[in-house]
Amino acid sequence: MIISDSGVPHPIIAQTVAAFEKAGTTYLLTFPPGEKNKNLITVESLCRKALALGADRRTAIVALGGGVSGNVAGMVAGMLCRGLPLIHIPTTLIAASDSVLSLKQGVNLDQGKNILGFFYTPRVVCVELSFLHSLPAREIRSGLCELVKNLLAILPEQMDTYRKLLRPSNQYRMEELQQFIEFCIEAKMTVMQDDPYEKNHAVVLEYGHTIGHAVELLGNGDYSHGESIAFGMLCMSTVSKWLGLLTEKEVDLHYELLELVGANVIPPSLWIPNIERYMLRDNKKGYRRYVPGKTGLVLLNGLGRINQEAGSFITYVDDALVRESIRYHTESKIHIKG
């Protein structure tokens, strides 16, 4: 059963279906694209369709598409018959270099992003580079924002290599895309090999995501995942500087690298109350006991080092300080050049 959203280009779908038909009976199940369809209603509908077509314990689920398709298909695979083999075939750079490398499968509720889900391991992740080569620049940029996160938070020793490769046009050769993906796999495996369920130091992968997810949901498609995370990282870098955890130079590197990929997300300041509302329901909430008036965040204590506080990798920050960082980046006249 190949599960894909209807926005995946037809030639990619046709090529994938034809390849799997050589191995056995193959069906294509589709759903409408977008975060608004990443929910249990979509998952249930796909499960019913799969069962109607004869899905059983010998069925494999193939996720074809970006991060939304990967998560939705991952939920279907983990729930049908209490677990069917899952194969990921990502068609976006951000899926190939980030989302499908995680064991996390999840869908959204109105209250927040990825609130419902579980950990479920795919049998294989297959990146077909030719599927990525015709992606629009904005899709490439989205993936490279996560690459920037990996440089800042996990492998800063490779900074100089990628400074030379990144460019705002986001036009890259196939071998360059391959290099980006291999780097992101290396970064992700560096922290996940000893923490596959991302409960301890691997939570650094969520750097910038607490605010970023809120912006992504509020934008309702206006901002990509990577662009939203870029904004979240800038806010976190500012908070870290105010707390004495990052130097001015280290904060400047956030701006420099994001400028090199052309990220330029400035949500309106009117969103701040709603950003805070979503942050209250962040899916990392509960790693530490709740403290009124404070928000738990993933912060860096120097490049490549997650900050620890009271034995936890989540740092509590006064709500007022978090709010001020968001306001600074929505109202400041100094922003990344698009």
Side-chain angles (χ1 to χ4, degrees):
M1 302 285 177
I2 297 175
I3 294 178
S4 178
D5 74 64
S6 55
V8 175
H10 177 73
I12 290 177
I13 291 177
Q15 183 178 340
T16 305
V17 170
F20 278 94
E21 282 179 335
K22 296 176 182 177
T25 304
T26 301
Y27 295 101
L28 172 68
L29 308 178
T30 62
F31 65 95
E35 282 283 332
K36 64 180 179 296
N37 296 302
K38 184 180 161 184
N39 53 45
L40 282 179
I41 295 173
T42 298
V43 172
E44 180 183 357
S45 173
L46 290 167
C47 286
R48 289 181 180 277
K49 290 177 182 178
L51 290 170
L53 291 168
D56 58 24
R57 293 182 182 274
R58 293 175 58 84
T59 299
I61 302 297
V62 179
L64 179 66
V68 172
S69 293
N71 268 276
V72 168
M75 291 286 286
V76 172
M79 296 174 74
L80 269 180
C81 302
R82 298 191 180 93
L84 297 177
L86 172 63
I87 297 170
H88 276 303
I89 304 179
T91 62
T92 64
L93 181 60
I94 198 162
S97 58
D98 179 57
S99 61
V100 303
L101 302 178
S102 172
L103 308 187
K104 296 180 293 189
Q105 318 300 331
V107 293
N108 306 334
L109 289 177
D110 290 341
Q111 290 93 330
K113 187 174 165 74
N114 298 329
I115 296 294
L116 299 177
F118 40 71
F119 290 90
Y120 194 70
T121 306
R123 296 289 182 89
V124 66
V125 176
C126 175
V127 180
E128 174 54 57
L129 285 171
S130 66
F131 289 176
L132 310 181
H133 201 244
S134 60
L135 287 172
R138 188 185 181 207
E139 286 288 343
I140 299 295
R141 178 183 301 115
S142 182
L144 292 183
C145 287
E146 286 279 358
L147 180 144
V148 167
K149 178 204 72 180
N150 291 333
L151 283 171
L152 294 166
I154 302 172
L155 294 175
E157 58 270 22
Q158 298 196 36
M159 193 85 66
D160 289 342
T161 298
Y162 290 92
R163 266 176 168 160
K164 298 172 185 175
L165 291 175
L166 299 175
R167 43 188 179 268
S169 68
N170 287 293
Q171 300 295 317
Y172 297 99
R173 301 188 304 275
M174 188 96 67
E175 55 268 28
E176 290 175 318
L177 292 177
Q178 180 174 341
Q179 184 176 350
F180 295 153
I181 294 167
E182 288 174 346
F183 166 76
C184 289
I185 292 171
E186 178 187 359
K188 200 139 190 174
M189 295 308 105
T190 295
V191 295
M192 283 184 61
Q193 60 184 350
D194 298 321
D195 186 16
Y197 299 114
E198 303 177 33
K199 301 296 185 185
N200 296 298
H201 61 274
V203 77
V204 73
L205 293 165
E206 296 289 317
Y207 183 55
H209 283 56
T210 299
I211 290 175
H213 278 168
V215 170
E216 184 179 5
L217 285 171
L218 285 168
N220 196 26
D222 289 343
Y223 303 132
S224 70
H225 175 76
E227 291 169 335
S228 302
I229 299 312
F231 178 80
M233 287 192 291
L234 290 179
C235 293
M236 292 303 93
S237 71
T238 299
V239 169
S240 295
K241 182 180 72 171
W242 290 342
L243 295 176
L245 301 175
L246 288 181
T247 65
E248 189 77 39
K249 183 177 180 180
E250 289 167 334
V251 172
D252 287 345
L253 273 171
H254 285 65
Y255 283 90
E256 179 185 342
L257 292 172
L258 290 171
E259 183 173 357
L260 284 173
V261 301
N264 185 28
V265 168
I266 309 172
S269 58
L270 290 174
W271 283 14
I272 292 177
N274 286 327
I275 291 175
E276 292 182 301
R277 180 169 56 84
Y278 275 117
M279 287 170 59
L280 287 172
R281 300 180 178 91
D282 180 60
N283 61 7
K284 291 178 290 304
K285 197 174 181 65
Y287 278 104
R288 295 180 64 182
R289 185 183 297 274
Y290 173 66
V291 176
K294 293 184 179 291
T295 299
L297 299 170
V298 175
L299 298 179
L300 298 184
N301 189 347
L303 298 182
R305 295 196 308 272
I306 185 173
N307 190 58
Q308 295 187 60
E309 180 182 80
S312 173
F313 293 97
I314 299 294
T315 302
Y316 271 130
V317 179
D318 288 343
D319 289 345
L321 194 66
V322 179
R323 186 182 308 115
E324 183 58 30
S325 74
I326 300 171
R327 187 173 301 280
Y328 173 79
H329 287 285
T330 56
E331 296 181 349
S332 174
K333 295 181 180 179
I334 303 174
H335 292 291
I336 306 168
K337 297 175 182 177

